[in-house]
Amino acid sequence: MEQYEPDRLTPAQAAAMRRSLRNGRAAMTRRSLLRASAGGALTVGGLGALSGCGIPAAGQTQGGTSAQDHSAEEKVVNFSNWTEYIDVDDSGKRHPTLEAFRRRTGVTVKYTEDINDNNEFFGKIKPQLAAGQATGRDLIVLTDWLAARLIRLGWVQKLDPSNLPHAYTNLSPQFRDPDWDPGRAYSYPWQGIPTVIAYNKKALDGIEVKSVSDLLDNSKLKGRVSFLSEMRDSIGMTLLDMGKDPVKFTDDDFDAVIARLQKAVDKGQIRRFTGNDYTSDLTKGDIAACVAWAGDVVQLKADSPDVDFVIPDSGYMTSTDNMLVPNKARHKTNAERLIDFFYEPEQAAALAAYINYATPVDGVQPYLAKIDKDAANNPLIVPDKAMQAKSHSFRSLSQKEETAYEEKFAKLTGA
């Protein structure tokens, strides 16, 4: 298990965080299908201050550090999630799925939207976790790379399979075995976040775009192509296009991708690297085609008949936001019951209908069709088997790799 060391952000990592906060997946509300953000300067400063605390390692036993479970006598679960990332009724104040859980189990969910950014939230909880103290939370939702870090540090608890019959049965095959949590011993996905190629049919004017190679090599698209400012998405899609596995790539493979993208930058093929601000350019046709987040595409297609997407034959990238039970959680069993509840297809359908991300739950489609037929037939929300087979994830990185790769990517993007 990894020994905890205080985080010290390199200039490249700080730049990457600022990119994400300004215009990456951290920049918009979940209802707008992208992550919300707190102030970038405060976030970086807060992490910098915490990094000098010298907090010792904790939770070095396999499976994290448990506490006495009070689930039986305290019918509550404290759930921290991202903003606007759950179903809401017309009043905007009630969450129908959480109320259904309470009616069935008698357990009240104290639901808090206090996650605005992965790094910012990590800064909130790491002093307690590193010191072996409770965070006051029973269930948290974190993106895969940070979930991997907490698992390595031993700061989250191993889940009890006996409390997760629906989750075990209904978890989609494409999400079952990430390299950072084989067999999903510590985590279950809340939602999937696919990265695809989007295009404006009117702006293409008959030009065919089916792959990353088309984006990088077709001279007719010069200056009308954008890639994402999130390293894992742009690098991962290009790795796939070059026949490399994002789970197994080497330093040389990474450098080859950087060189290929740099060539496209130098010749003016790539207009810029963007966060969610590509959406306006794509709708207007200033960008003809780009690497894009599927959540955006769902929304853009609903608003513009010119916008569409393609899944390259080489595949596409998918990241996940994941439910975890932190060390010392007071209501672990209740948290596991809530995880399992959301893996019932009917409940997963209610989530998918509202937030339009890729559901990780098999069997959702007939339930979702009763709510929203278009969503039920949208492969970006309910991936079929063919699309699932093309899904790839970016492998977990060591601290050394993270630093080196972000530095190279920051130089490429001019961040």
Side-chain angles (χ1 to χ4, degrees), residues 7 24 30 50 62 73 108 119 136 147-148 173 187 206 208 210 226 240 261 325-326 328 342 382:
D7 291 311
R30 283 290 186 175
L50 283 166
Q62 186 68 25
E73 66 270 20
T108 297
N119 281 304
S187 69
E208 188 174 67
K210 292 185 175 180
S226 68
L240 289 169
L261 293 173
V325 178
K328 298 289 186 176
F342 280 112
V382 186

Side-chain angles (χ1 to χ4, degrees), residues 48-111:
L50 283 166
S51 70
C53 293
I55 301 168
Q60 296 300 307
T61 57
Q62 186 68 25
T65 304
S66 62
Q68 184 177 354
D69 193 346
H70 296 271
S71 293
E73 66 270 20
E74 297 177 5
K75 298 294 187 179
V76 67
V77 56
N78 297 296
F79 184 10
S80 284
N81 203 350
W82 297 77
T83 55
E84 303 194 47
Y85 205 15
I86 197 170
D87 57 312
V88 180
D89 68 4
D90 291 340
S91 73
K93 298 178 180 180
R94 301 162 72 92
H95 306 296
T97 52
L98 298 184
E99 294 197 354
F101 178 75
R102 177 186 54 78
R103 288 194 299 270
R104 183 191 301 180
T105 65
V107 175
T108 297
V109 180
K110 293 185 177 180
Y111 186 76

Side-chain angles (χ1 to χ4, degrees), residues 161-318:
S162 67
N163 292 327
L164 298 161
H166 295 98
Y168 179 82
T169 301
N170 296 330
L171 176 60
S172 172
Q174 78 178 96
F175 299 112
R176 278 195 177 271
D177 204 34
D179 70 333
W180 48 270
D181 187 15
R184 291 289 181 180
Y186 297 88
S187 69
Y188 270 89
W190 177 250
Q191 298 289 291
I193 309 169
T195 301
V196 299
I197 293 176
Y199 58 86
N200 184 307
K201 289 178 279 189
K202 186 175 180 180
L204 284 179
D205 192 25
I207 300 171
E208 188 174 67
V209 171
K210 292 185 175 180
S211 67
V212 169
S213 287
D214 291 333
L215 298 181
L216 295 175
D217 300 333
N218 190 329
S219 60
K220 294 180 180 179
L221 296 176
K222 183 176 180 179
R224 298 193 294 145
V225 167
S226 68
F227 277 65
L228 292 170
S229 57
E230 295 285 348
M231 183 263 288
R232 287 168 176 81
D233 296 312
S234 287
I235 295 294
M237 290 291 283
T238 311
L239 280 166
L240 289 169
D241 188 72
M242 296 172 68
K244 302 296 183 180
D245 187 345
V247 173
K248 300 178 180 178
F249 71 90
T250 65
D251 288 347
D252 288 342
D253 295 331
F254 186 91
D255 289 343
V257 169
I258 291 290
R260 188 178 185 201
L261 293 173
Q262 186 66 62
K263 182 179 178 181
V265 169
D266 293 343
K267 68 180 183 181
Q269 184 76 9
I270 295 177
R271 183 185 184 118
R272 61 194 180 107
F273 290 82
T274 75
N276 57 63
D277 48 333
Y278 69 86
T279 56
S280 176
D281 287 343
L282 182 64
T283 301
K284 291 186 295 184
D286 293 339
I287 291 292
C290 59
V291 176
W293 290 307
D296 280 338
V297 179
V298 172
Q299 196 78 342
L300 293 175
K301 276 176 60 65
D303 297 335
S304 172
D306 293 326
V307 174
D308 212 335
F309 74 97
V310 64
I311 303 296
D313 288 341
S314 59
Y316 67 101
M317 299 299 298
T318 303

Side-chain angles (χ1 to χ4, degrees), residues 334-349:
N334 289 343
E336 291 167 339
R337 293 176 72 187
L338 184 59
I339 293 172
D340 197 61
F341 178 78
F342 280 112
Y343 271 80
E344 296 177 14
E346 185 174 3
Q347 311 307 330

